[in-house]
Amino acid sequence: MAKTFHLEIIATDRVFYQGECEHLVITAIDGLLGIMAGHEPLVTALPTGELKYMVDGKWRYAAISEGFIQVMPESSVILADTCELPEEIDIRRAQEARERAQEKLRQKQSIQEYYQTQAALNRAMNRLKISQKHFK
């Protein structure tokens, strides 16, 4: 069995990563999902969360927003709204986005507006968590 598999991580604004990968751990809608070469085929939705993948024996981390993953035995493709390395995250901007979302949640909103605001808050909180956890 192969030791690596081909991984593509595609965000709406760029190809975030394209190359060989030894191990991938991502938050899926029903919990953490670990993927190695030879994994059974699967397609699932991804919520906002943390992505970590191993290249040349070293873990790499990223903040990822909503998307999908397709897993095949020899490859995996992730399509996401955004994907950022911890050092790419603008902490001040993420804090401001969190504060705006928290303020908006205190106001009367329609159900749709509430869910959009909650999603914005989740993205901001995830970006802050990933930047603080992995960017030294």
Side-chain angles (χ1 to χ4, degrees), residues 44-58:
T44 190
L46 301 173
T48 295
E50 181 178 18
L51 161 76
K52 74 178 194 176
Y53 56 106
M54 183 182 284
V55 176
D56 296 328
K58 185 172 186 230

Side-chain angles (χ1 to χ4, degrees), residues 36 71 73:
M36 297 175 77
V71 179

Side-chain angles (χ1 to χ4, degrees), residues 41-87:
L42 108 101
V43 174
T44 190
L46 301 173
T48 295
E50 181 178 18
L51 161 76
K52 74 178 194 176
Y53 56 106
M54 183 182 284
V55 176
D56 296 328
K58 185 172 186 230
W59 285 106
R60 299 178 183 188
Y61 302 89
I64 190 167
S65 64
E66 298 84 5
F68 295 91
I69 184 170
Q70 176 192 35
V71 179
M72 299 299 286
E74 307 84 30
S75 65
S76 291
V77 177
I78 296 171
L79 302 174
D81 288 338
T82 62
C83 193
E84 298 173 282
L85 293 169
E87 58 268 25

Side-chain angles (χ1 to χ4, degrees), residues 25 27 32 49-53 58-64 84-89 91 125-136:
V25 178
T27 305
L32 286 179
E50 181 178 18
L51 161 76
K52 74 178 194 176
Y53 56 106
K58 185 172 186 230
W59 285 106
R60 299 178 183 188
Y61 302 89
I64 190 167
E84 298 173 282
L85 293 169
E87 58 268 25
E88 294 174 330
I89 296 170
I91 294 171
M125 297 293 288
N126 184 60
R127 293 175 77 227
L128 289 168
K129 180 182 88 175
I130 301 301
S131 68
Q132 291 167 355
K133 185 175 175 184
H134 300 293
F135 185 57
K136 310 294 186 243

Side-chain angles (χ1 to χ4, degrees), residues 1-135:
M1 179 156 75
K3 222 176 96 163
T4 64
F5 62 97
H6 187 75
L7 175 63
E8 289 184 56
I9 304 169
I10 302 166
T12 54
D13 62 341
R14 65 181 167 158
V15 175
F16 178 81
Y17 177 79
Q18 191 170 21
E20 293 303 300
C21 176
E22 296 152 36
H23 198 132
L24 168 66
V25 178
I26 192 160
T27 305
I29 53 173
D30 53 355
L32 286 179
L33 179 62
I35 298 165
M36 297 175 77
H39 196 285
E40 289 291 314
L42 108 101
V43 174
T44 190
L46 301 173
T48 295
E50 181 178 18
L51 161 76
K52 74 178 194 176
Y53 56 106
M54 183 182 284
V55 176
D56 296 328
K58 185 172 186 230
W59 285 106
R60 299 178 183 188
Y61 302 89
I64 190 167
S65 64
E66 298 84 5
F68 295 91
I69 184 170
Q70 176 192 35
V71 179
M72 299 299 286
E74 307 84 30
S75 65
S76 291
V77 177
I78 296 171
L79 302 174
D81 288 338
T82 62
C83 193
E84 298 173 282
L85 293 169
E87 58 268 25
E88 294 174 330
I89 296 170
D90 182 334
I91 294 171
R92 186 180 53 69
R93 201 172 123 235
Q95 288 170 333
E96 289 170 356
R98 177 188 61 192
E99 290 164 12
R100 276 192 310 274
Q102 288 171 332
E103 177 58 35
K104 200 167 182 185
L105 282 174
R106 289 190 276 273
Q107 300 167 4
K108 187 169 173 62
Q109 303 179 71
S110 70
I111 294 296
Q112 181 180 359
E113 289 171 328
Y114 171 81
Y115 286 124
Q116 289 171 342
T117 303
Q118 190 63 51
L121 178 60
N122 290 344
R123 283 190 301 273
M125 297 293 288
N126 184 60
R127 293 175 77 227
L128 289 168
K129 180 182 88 175
I130 301 301
S131 68
Q132 291 167 355
K133 185 175 175 184
H134 300 293
F135 185 57

